[in-house]
């Protein structure tokens, strides 16, 4: 048994025995997914995040396939963050699918746009990369994968709106330095991030964080857009999700 699991088991037994000895009636805990994932919402809760907590993104409403892939990647060591790996250690694929389906079904209000001041040059640079990309450097437009409204492409590609600037920048840094998805190929976002300059990544992150999420976008439920064949082949590692 893992040391952390053993410590938790001993602590649980201690408090249970103490409660029984004191005559305290047991607490009825609902057997629901909402109850089981309370550890998740400590970091990924619905409230707005500020400061260091902004590094924890909202996961409510994200595509089910995307969430399942990320949970599996953390569990299997393809995506590296020790607390997530410990939380998911030993959980079977079906349980991860159930977790992903639960969070994908949630509808929570998006935070307001960040009041970020971008120069006209930064805005133009960001819009060009997001809407048109850079064919010379083989950088696709963000909208090609993440949808024309940047709200994601079901079931595997997440939306880009409603995310804090520092979180987006941190992900660019992780992709560029190989710290996000080690050993998983083809890793299209790593290839793209390495092509972007620091100024370009900053401009894109600032522009995305400053965009509002309108009610019209939230209510849009059209058919999921399919990735162009060329991009589907280039980004095939994010489209692998057996059973979904």
């Amino acid at each position: 048994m893992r040391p952390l699991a053993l410590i938790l088991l001993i602590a649980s037994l201690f408090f249970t025995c103490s409660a029984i000895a004191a005559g305290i009636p047991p607490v009825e805990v609902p057997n629901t997914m909402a109850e089981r994932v309370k550890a998740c919402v400590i970091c990924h809760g619905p409230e707005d995040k500020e400061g260091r907590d902004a590094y924890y993104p909202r996961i409510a409403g994200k595509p089910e396939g995307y969430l399942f892939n990320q949970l599996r990647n953390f569990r299997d060591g393809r995506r590296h963050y020790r607390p997530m790996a410990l939380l998911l250690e030993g959980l079977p694929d079906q349980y991860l699918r159930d977790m992903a389906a639960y969070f994908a079904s949630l509808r929570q209000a998006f935070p307001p746009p960040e009041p970020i001041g971008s120069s006209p040059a930064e805005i133009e640079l960001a819009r060009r990369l997001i809407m048109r990309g850079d064919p010379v450097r083989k950088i696709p437009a963000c909208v090609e994968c993440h949808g024309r409204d940047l709200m994601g492409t079901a079931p595997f590609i997440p939306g880009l709106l409603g995310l804090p600037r520092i979180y987006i920048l941190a992900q660019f840094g992780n992709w560029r330095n190989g710290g996000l998805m080690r050993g998983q190929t083809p890793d299209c976002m790593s290839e793209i991030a390495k092509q972007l300059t620091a100024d370009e990544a900053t401009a894109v992150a600032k522009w995305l964080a400053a965009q509002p999420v309108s009610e019209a976008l939230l209510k849009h439920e059209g058919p999921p857009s399919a990735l162009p064949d060329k991009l589907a082949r280039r980004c095939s590692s994010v489209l692998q999700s057996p059973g979904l």
Side-chain angles (χ1 to χ4, degrees), residues 1 16 20 27 44 81-82 114 145 153-154 174 188 190 208 235:
M1 181 177 290
T16 300
I20 293 173
V27 177
H44 299 283
Y81 185 60
R82 183 65 173 165
E114 289 189 30
C145 289
T153 303
N174 284 330
C188 54
S190 179
L208 289 171
C235 299

Side-chain angles (χ1 to χ4, degrees), residues 91-238:
L91 294 181
D93 279 2
Q94 186 56 55
Y95 197 87
L96 299 186
R97 290 192 184 96
D98 293 343
M99 291 175 65
Y102 170 77
F103 280 109
S105 70
L106 298 181
R107 295 294 178 265
Q108 295 173 348
F110 279 74
E114 289 189 30
I116 299 171
S118 296
S119 69
E122 284 182 308
I123 293 173
E124 173 57 29
L125 174 61
R127 286 185 59 83
R128 176 171 57 81
L129 290 169
I130 290 167
M131 301 300 175
R132 301 196 300 273
D134 186 341
V136 173
R137 290 184 289 168
K138 297 183 179 179
I139 298 176
C142 300
V143 296
E144 289 190 64
C145 289
H146 295 275
R148 298 301 303 178
D149 55 11
L150 296 170
M151 293 293 285
T153 303
F156 299 111
I157 310 296
L160 299 179
L161 302 186
L163 294 172
R165 172 183 57 88
I166 60 173
Y167 173 78
I168 299 173
L169 280 174
Q171 301 316 297
F172 274 132
N174 284 330
W175 277 310
R176 186 183 299 114
N177 299 322
L180 194 60
M181 295 294 289
R182 300 175 192 168
Q184 187 154 331
T185 57
D187 187 355
C188 54
M189 275 307 305
S190 179
E191 297 170 4
I192 293 167
K194 289 174 182 176
Q195 292 282 349
L196 295 174
T197 67
D199 287 343
E200 288 173 333
T202 298
V204 168
K206 290 171 69 174
W207 189 91
L208 289 171
Q211 303 310 302
V213 180
S214 68
E215 287 297 319
L217 288 180
L218 293 176
K219 293 178 181 178
H220 177 67
E221 296 184 357
S225 302
L227 292 182
D229 289 342
K230 181 174 67 174
L231 288 176
R233 290 192 298 271
R234 183 177 179 182
C235 299
S236 61
S237 65
V238 302

